[in-house]
Amino acid sequence: MQRLDKIIASTGKWSRREVKALIRQGRVLVDGIPARSAEDKTDPESAEITVNGEALVYRRYTWVMLNKPAGYLSATEDGRGPTVLDLLPPELKKQGLFPVGRLDKDTEGLLLLTNEGGLAHDLLSPRHHVEKVYYAQVAGRLTEEDCRAFASGMTLDDGLVCQSAGLEILSAGEESEAHVTLREGKFHQVKRMLAFRGKPVLYLERVRMGNLPLDPSLSRGDYRFLTPEELESLRSL
């Protein structure tokens, strides 16, 4: 059971002060009955709450899939430039969302945002080995020797130890394409591993996280909420 003003304000559309005004004006109904007070408690998952005649969509936690474009920082705020939260509408920006992991400023693709700290932490924890898959374009010809080096794990020139990773060559030539699969998430790891093999990254896009692929219908910069089925699949990891 939660206070009515807290439930309605959690959508990000109204402040608690605005909710109190709506209730005084009789514009908030709970199971068809006008609410009496902002302090009334109800179960947001079972009660039917309407505001101005429109049904309230309550989410205990919010999970958003964003198709991140280049040029945005994976942060909630940063004085160096726009962040991924700047791609969201005001009502979502008020919900305390944060990126689940990071993508470099120039890296595009799948980025999850949420206000559920526990599951976000579990998805990023090295002990759970949740796979992240990237599409990479590189300068130079990728070879089976590169694939074996990724599979064996490698220690970079700066001492960074990288665990076994997957490298699937999609095309090879003066420029090559590949899918890279990581089970950890160290700083600039994909770029650093490929650069160590003499194949610097020209373009990078995350296309999958765990069993959740980037929705192909999402244009760059667009977002959507995760479905209950997608969220359950993440919890199963």
Side-chain angles (χ1 to χ4, degrees):
M1 304 287 283
Q2 298 183 36
R3 282 177 50 131
L4 188 57
D5 58 350
K6 180 181 179 182
I7 295 170
I8 298 174
S10 71
T11 64
K13 293 184 177 181
W14 304 276
S15 67
R16 288 203 183 191
R17 178 178 296 180
E18 291 170 332
V19 171
K20 290 177 181 177
L22 290 168
I23 291 174
R24 286 197 302 269
Q25 296 162 12
R27 294 158 69 183
V28 177
L29 305 183
V30 180
D31 293 329
I33 301 172
R36 296 173 300 173
S37 168
E39 298 178 3
D40 287 349
K41 292 190 175 182
T42 189
D43 182 350
E45 297 188 11
S46 62
E48 181 182 336
I49 302 171
T50 60
V51 181
N52 294 327
E54 185 175 334
L56 187 78
V57 178
Y58 174 79
R59 297 179 179 86
R60 184 179 181 189
Y61 297 112
T62 299
W63 280 85
V64 166
M65 177 191 292
L66 174 70
N67 188 344
K68 177 190 173 298
Y72 288 81
L73 297 162
S74 297
T76 54
E77 57 182 347
D78 196 305
R80 297 172 298 167
T83 74
V84 290
L85 290 187
D86 293 322
L87 296 166
L88 303 179
E91 60 267 24
L92 279 180
K93 294 173 72 172
K94 295 177 183 177
Q95 293 190 23
L97 301 181
F98 57 86
V100 181
R102 292 178 178 270
L103 292 179
D104 298 342
K105 185 176 181 180
D106 60 348
T107 299
E108 300 187 324
L110 175 61
L111 184 65
L112 299 179
L113 299 112
T114 187
N115 50 12
E116 185 178 359
L119 180 55
H121 177 270
D122 287 345
L123 290 173
L124 298 174
S125 173
R127 65 189 178 92
H128 288 122
H129 304 292
V130 175
E131 292 185 347
K132 293 91 174 173
V133 182
Y134 299 81
Y135 165 76
Q137 295 177 355
V138 303
R141 182 181 296 275
L142 289 169
T143 67
E144 288 303 317
E145 185 178 347
D146 295 318
C147 295
R148 289 191 291 271
F150 268 65
S152 299
M154 59 182 78
T155 300
L156 308 187
D157 289 334
D158 58 7
L160 180 70
V161 178
C162 299
Q163 298 176 7
S164 172
L167 179 65
E168 178 191 359
I169 300 173
L170 304 177
S171 68
E174 291 185 8
E175 293 183 2
S176 302
E177 300 172 290
H179 279 150
V180 178
T181 301
L182 299 183
R183 297 169 188 85
E184 54 182 346
K186 295 174 179 173
F187 186 64
H188 294 321
Q189 186 172 351
V190 174
K191 293 178 179 178
R192 292 164 75 183
M193 291 177 76
L194 286 164
F196 181 72
R197 297 296 304 170
K199 317 290 165 58
V201 168
L202 303 174
Y203 174 78
L204 193 63
E205 176 189 24
R206 184 154 65 194
V207 296
R208 182 165 63 84
M209 185 170 184
N211 46 19
L212 183 65
L214 176 63
D215 187 336
S217 70
L218 277 182
S219 298
R220 201 72 77 196
D222 285 350
Y223 75 93
R224 68 166 174 81
F225 295 105
L226 293 191
T227 67
E229 294 76 18
E230 289 171 334
L231 191 50
E232 187 58 35
S233 73
L234 288 180
R235 295 191 192 284
S236 71
L237 296 174

